[in-house]
Amino acid sequence: MSRTRVFLVDDSAAIRDAVRPLFDSHPSFEVVGEAVHGREAVEKAPSLRPDLIILDLSMPVMNGIEAAPLLIQIIPNVWLILFTLHDSPDLQRLSREAGIPAVVPKTKASTHLIPQAEALIGRRSATA
């Protein structure tokens, strides 16, 4: 079985360094790249061809909500998780409108990020 290709997009090196081991230690996932803002993610995505993108909300140059529709246009079958310190009903709505099906608070990364990723990937498997 092939591993799910994960792309980490966050302007904080500390956050990327904390999230990468969560995926690297899981047999179903493989981190294939990192970016520090949405524009860089859009530039790198075509060559990385990720299955899942962990996308920060607040980044310089281009934020996660702005980058999401462009990433979906480049890789139509990609799953996106908005990974953020912010949480509100408005953010949930904006995320869905941008094509992001899941929001995970950074404060719950260790308990929620992998299960949410597995749930999204499971949706694709169930519909394939």
Side-chain angles (χ1 to χ4, degrees):
M1 186 165 125
S2 65
R3 295 169 72 186
T4 299
R5 298 170 57 83
V6 180
F7 185 21
L8 305 176
V9 183
D10 198 300
D11 59 318
S12 168
I15 295 292
R16 293 190 315 273
D17 289 347
V19 170
R20 180 182 272 275
L22 295 174
F23 287 101
D24 283 344
S25 66
H26 195 287
S28 298
F29 297 101
E30 170 188 18
V31 177
V32 295
E34 297 182 6
V36 298
H37 53 71
R39 174 64 55 208
E40 184 181 13
V42 169
E43 292 168 0
K44 287 183 170 182
S47 62
L48 295 174
R49 305 301 296 173
D51 303 302
L52 172 67
I53 301 174
I54 309 302
L55 194 58
D56 186 20
L57 171 63
S58 301
M59 296 180 286
V61 183
M62 180 184 287
N63 71 40
I65 298 289
E66 295 167 332
L70 299 172
L71 292 164
I72 293 166
Q73 185 176 359
I74 294 166
I75 307 169
N77 294 323
V78 73
W79 286 109
L80 302 174
I81 295 176
L82 191 67
F83 191 52
T84 181
L85 289 172
H86 311 282
D87 193 20
S88 71
D90 285 341
L91 180 58
Q92 297 284 338
R93 179 185 51 77
L94 287 171
S95 296
R96 283 190 305 277
E97 289 172 0
I100 305 170
V103 177
V104 173
K106 288 183 178 180
T107 57
K108 296 182 179 181
S110 63
T111 57
H112 287 62
L113 195 54
I114 294 295
Q116 183 63 70
E118 289 175 322
L120 289 176
I121 299 305
R123 282 193 213 171
R124 176 178 296 144
S125 298
T127 60

